Amino acid sequence: MHNKGKIYVIGLGPGSREHMSKRALDAILDSEVVIGYKTYIHLIKDLLDEKEVIDSGMKKEVERCNLTIDKALEGKRVCIISSGDAGVYGMAGIMLEVKYERNADVEIEIIPGITAASAAASVLGAPMMHDFAVISLSDLLTDWKLIKKRIECAAKGDFIIALYNPKSKGRVYQIEEAREIIMKYKEKDTPVGIVRNAKRDGEEVIITDLENMLKYNIDMLTVVIIGNSKTYVKNGKMITPRGYQL
Ligand code: SAH
């Protein structure tokens, strides 16, 4: 029988090995080819002996997926890696889209990982105990108008808001506008958690509030979690009550 190969779409989790799932680890070990952005390849470099490793730059997602399918059609077991969860601003969606676009007869297994918001929340305490919205501030693929509308709706709905891709060197005003929109609906002393490198080397944690959040360093290695109207800070932990009577 012709061996069709297999594709694993892997979320590595936030970065440290203890926070990677066993299934993700097994899939990497089982793979003959590993494909991904070089920062993520670097996180697992000790696992890559004897494997074909293909790292590629940031803007080549479709190319990366096509290559993954080509390799699998040759009969190889291939993994394509994202950080966090591959289904949250990661490679899972585009991988399936490319597979169906090409009508490629290959098996794809998507392996979930701990997403940045969960990792950051655990570091901050328990800020996401109630309904939350995850919003990426990157307007590379999404219209800024639509992003602003979603921020507005989430703030109006009193959702806890986790902001991904909050600010890069060339993209600085979005976090400022996002905060302004949110301030229309949330009090200025609403707790805000800023976590850089959650659950990996170089972890930094700040708990502040909406009024002061822009005084701190926010970049592309950071996730920002803004509480709801019930969120409070106690003993350095950010807590959003679920509603239990104490
Ligand atoms: N698939 C990833 C998200 C990719 S988008 C996931 O599920 O986590 C990239 C953004 O995720 C970054 O700009 C940052 O906002 C956030 N991020 C990813 N890992 C992080 C970490 N360990 N600590 C803080 N933020 C992180």
Side-chain angles (χ1 to χ4, degrees):
M1 200 187 92
H2 174 64
N3 178 5
K4 280 191 211 133
K6 172 162 184 177
I7 296 171
Y8 298 107
V9 185
I10 300 179
L12 293 179
S16 70
R17 192 59 47 82
E18 312 90 87
H19 294 95
M20 186 193 294
S21 76
K22 174 147 191 319
R23 185 68 190 150
L25 183 62
D26 289 347
I28 293 166
L29 295 174
D30 184 53
S31 296
E32 296 153 282
V33 185
V34 178
I35 299 180
Y37 182 54
K38 52 184 176 316
T39 322
Y40 307 147
I41 297 275
H42 184 74
L43 288 171
I44 53 167
K45 61 178 187 311
D46 57 311
L47 304 173
L48 301 178
D49 283 355
E50 323 250 311
K51 297 184 194 302
E52 182 183 354
V53 176
I54 301 169
D55 63 23
S56 56
M58 206 53 174
K59 282 176 191 154
K60 296 181 183 157
E61 285 82 5
V62 174
E63 203 181 296
R64 233 184 286 167
C65 291
N66 273 310
L67 192 61
T68 306
I69 289 178
D70 293 342
K71 295 279 178 189
L73 289 172
E74 286 169 21
K76 295 194 168 130
R77 291 185 306 282
V78 191
C79 71
I80 179 160
I81 58 179
S82 298
S83 74
D85 187 298
V88 180
Y89 315 121
M91 295 302 295
I94 185 69
M95 195 66 240
L96 290 175
E97 285 184 85
V98 170
K99 170 185 153 128
Y100 294 123
E101 172 73 21
R102 285 178 57 168
N103 221 346
D105 185 16
V106 286
E107 185 192 343
I108 295 184
E109 178 182 340
I110 297 170
I111 300 171
I114 298 174
T115 192
S118 299
S122 73
V123 173
L124 292 165
M128 297 203 313
M129 284 299 299
H130 218 290
D131 304 332
F132 61 90
V134 170
I135 300 175
S136 166
L137 295 191
S138 171
D139 56 0
L140 235 50
L141 301 170
T142 309
D143 200 40
W144 178 237
K145 268 205 188 112
L146 177 60
I147 299 172
K148 283 200 293 189
K149 178 175 155 187
R150 289 182 178 159
I151 295 167
E152 177 125 19
C153 289
K156 200 171 178 180
D158 196 26
F159 284 86
I160 299 143
I161 302 174
L163 298 175
Y164 282 49
N165 299 305
K167 185 179 175 186
S168 69
K169 286 205 183 83
R171 197 168 50 69
V172 295
Y173 70 86
Q174 284 85 348
I175 186 75
E176 295 166 18
E177 275 190 44
R179 172 179 166 275
E180 257 163 51
I181 296 167
I182 294 167
M183 294 265 271
K184 292 201 290 180
Y185 302 96
K186 292 181 189 271
E187 298 294 335
K188 57 185 193 312
D189 62 354
T190 303
V192 173
I194 300 172
V195 186
R196 190 159 186 273
N197 290 318
K199 296 294 176 194
R200 67 185 177 212
D201 285 351
E203 183 179 271
E204 293 171 37
V205 192
I206 282 156
I207 296 184
T208 175
D209 57 24
L210 263 181
E211 184 169 30
N212 295 296
M213 61 177 269
L214 294 180
K215 295 178 183 160
Y216 299 91
N217 178 33
I218 295 175
D219 63 12
M220 288 298 275
L221 302 176
T222 307
V223 82
V224 177
I225 299 183
I226 299 160
N228 71 14
S229 56
K230 304 258 168 41
T231 306
Y232 63 93
V233 178
K234 187 150 192 177
N235 292 341
K237 293 288 173 198
M238 197 170 155
I239 303 169
T240 302
R242 177 86 195 281
Y244 297 111
Q245 289 301 316
L246 299 183

